Amino acid sequence: MRNQRQVVDHALQRRALLAEVYAGRLGTMEVCDASPYLLRAAKFHGQPSGVTCPVCRKEPLTLVSWVYGDELKHLAGSARTADELTRMSTLFGEFRVYEVEVCRSCSWNHLVRSYVLGTGDLNDTGNRERSRRRTASE
Ligand SMILES: [Zn+2]
């Protein structure tokens, strides 16, 4: 996806959590807890990643993208496909995408990263106000 902004990578947390699992300090029951809702989203809106599940190693992980943002209204908190994200990035000023990996075999799930998409045009008065003030002080 192009035009990703403010990318937050969660690879370190993921690695730390997996290290706990491999060391036996955390049971797979505790980390393989994808909800039926998340598993369903993976089935209908997910896209296969090239990464094999780090816990059960039975199948490639599925990536699910959840969208959040005030502008999205009823779409906020829903899972979207890559095509939908591309379309939405031209329709909305700004929204954040949370990319979660899910194993449909063992239910391992983890936040991979999040980023902001959108045209960058913020329509709320607060931002117009701020930019006007900035212009005035220049
Ligand atoms: Zn698995």
Side-chain angles (χ1 to χ4, degrees), residues 53 55-57 103 105-108:
C53 173
V55 178
C56 72
R57 303 184 195 282
C103 173
S105 280
C106 74
S107 297
W108 154 261

